C-alpha cells in the first residue's frame, strides 16, 4: 500500500510541475508578444543612399512643405545640414484649400518663412524608438530646441507620439520615419509654429 501511495504522489507531483512549466512558458510568450506589438508601432527605416533633402524632394506627400522651402530659397541650407531631425507636415496638414501656402508665400509674408521652416528642424539624429524609450523612462515631456531657437515638447498620449509647439498646436508623429545620410525625416499632421509667429492664420492648424 505504501508503494502505491508513493507512486500516486510522484505522479501528482509530476503533473503539478508540468502544469507550472506550461503556465510559465505561456506567460513568457504573452510578454514577448506584447513587447513586440508595442515595439512595432513606431519604426525607422534606413535609407543612407539619400539625403534628407532628397527624401523630401522624392516623396509624394511633402509638396506643400517644399513650396515653402522654395519660396524661402532654403534648399541649399537644408543640403548643408548634418545630424538633423526634420518634422515635415504632409500636404493634408496645409488644408484642402492650401490657403496657408498662398498666405505664407505672399510677398509681404516671406519674412516669416525662414523662422517657420527652421522651427521644424532639430539638431539631433535620435530615432523614434529611442525617443519613445526615453519618454517612457522619464515619464514626462521631452524638450527639443529647434534651429529657429524656439522649443518643441514631445510627449506620449494614448501610445502615440505627440509634438506641442509654442503656439499650443498639438501634432501627431507618423509611425514611420526615415533615416537618411544626414538626418531623420519624421512625418507630422500639423504645421508647427514658433511663438514669434503666433499671428499665423488659423487655417494652418
Amino acid at each position: 500500500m505504501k508503494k502505491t501511495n508513493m507512486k500516486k504522489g510522484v505522479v501528482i507531483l509530476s503533473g503539478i510541475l508540468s502544469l507550472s512549466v506550461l503556465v510559465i512558458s505561456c506567460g513568457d510568450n504573452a510578454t514577448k508578444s506584447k513587447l513586440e506589438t508595442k515595439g512595432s508601432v513606431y519604426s525607422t527605416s534606413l535609407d543612407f543612399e539619400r539625403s534628407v533633402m532628397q527624401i523630401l524632394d522624392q516623396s509624394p506627400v511633402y509638396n506643400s512643405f517644399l513650396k515653402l522651402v522654395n519660396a524661402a530659397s532654403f534648399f541649399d541650407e537644408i543640403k548643408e545640414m548634418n545630424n538633423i531631425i526634420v518634422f515635415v507636415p504632409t500636404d493634408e496638414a496645409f488644408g484642402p484649400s492650401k490657403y496657408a501656402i498662398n498666405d505664407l508665400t505672399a510677398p509681404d509674408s516671406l519674412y516669416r518663412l525662414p523662422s517657420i521652416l527652421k522651427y521644424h528642424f532639430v539638431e539631433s539624429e535620435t530615432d523614434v524608438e529611442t525617443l519613445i524609450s526615453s519618454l517612457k523612462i522619464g515619464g514626462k515631456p521631452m524638450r527639443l530646441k529647434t534651429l529657429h531657437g524656439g522649443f518643441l515638447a514631445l510627449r506620449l498620449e494614448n501610445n502615440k507620439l505627440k509634438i506641442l509647439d509654442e503656439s499650443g498646436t498639438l501634432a501627431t508623429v507618423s509611425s514611420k520615419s526615415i533615416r537618411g545620410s544626414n538626418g531623420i525625416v519624421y512625418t507630422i499632421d500639423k504645421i508647427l509654429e514658433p511663438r514669434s509667429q503666433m499671428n499665423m492664420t488659423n487655417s494652418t492648424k
Side-chain angles (χ1 to χ4, degrees), residues 27 52 66 69 103 109-110 131 182 195 200:
V52 164
L66 288 174
V69 171
D103 178 57
S109 298
L110 287 177
L131 285 177
N182 63 330
R195 183 175 288 111
M200 211 169 131

Side-chain angles (χ1 to χ4, degrees), residues 68-89:
L68 299 186
V69 171
N70 182 55
S73 300
F74 201 55
F75 281 109
D76 290 339
E77 192 164 345
I78 295 176
K79 289 178 182 177
E80 296 298 321
M81 292 179 181
N82 281 299
N83 303 320
I84 57 165
I85 286 174
V86 55
F87 296 104
V88 191

Side-chain angles (χ1 to χ4, degrees), residues 154-205:
L154 268 64
R155 72 190 193 202
L156 284 175
E157 187 176 298
N158 297 323
N159 290 323
K160 291 185 178 182
L161 187 59
K162 303 280 186 174
I163 302 177
L164 182 67
D165 70 11
E166 293 174 339
S167 71
T169 296
L170 189 64
T172 301
V173 179
S174 171
S175 60
K176 304 297 181 183
S177 54
I178 304 174
R179 180 188 286 274
S181 60
N182 63 330
I184 304 178
V185 176
Y186 289 82
T187 303
I188 56 177
D189 64 349
K190 299 285 176 61
I191 304 170
L192 303 176
E193 182 183 350
R195 183 175 288 111
S196 61
Q197 302 294 331
M198 285 179 65
N199 60 338
M200 211 169 131
T201 175
N202 290 330
S203 65
T204 64
K205 297 184 181 181

Side-chain angles (χ1 to χ4, degrees), residues 70-138:
N70 182 55
S73 300
F74 201 55
F75 281 109
D76 290 339
E77 192 164 345
I78 295 176
K79 289 178 182 177
E80 296 298 321
M81 292 179 181
N82 281 299
N83 303 320
I84 57 165
I85 286 174
V86 55
F87 296 104
V88 191
T90 62
D91 291 337
E92 291 183 358
F94 287 81
S97 67
K98 301 293 187 295
Y99 175 79
I101 297 176
N102 296 331
D103 178 57
L104 290 170
T105 56
D108 59 346
S109 298
L110 287 177
Y111 72 95
R112 293 189 287 166
L113 274 185
S115 292
I116 292 171
L117 290 170
K118 288 180 181 179
Y119 192 61
H120 290 77
F121 288 82
V122 173
E123 191 172 353
S124 172
E125 272 195 302
T126 307
D127 58 40
V128 70
E129 296 89 343
T130 303
L131 285 177
I132 290 177
S133 295
S134 300
L135 287 169
K136 287 181 177 178
I137 293 171

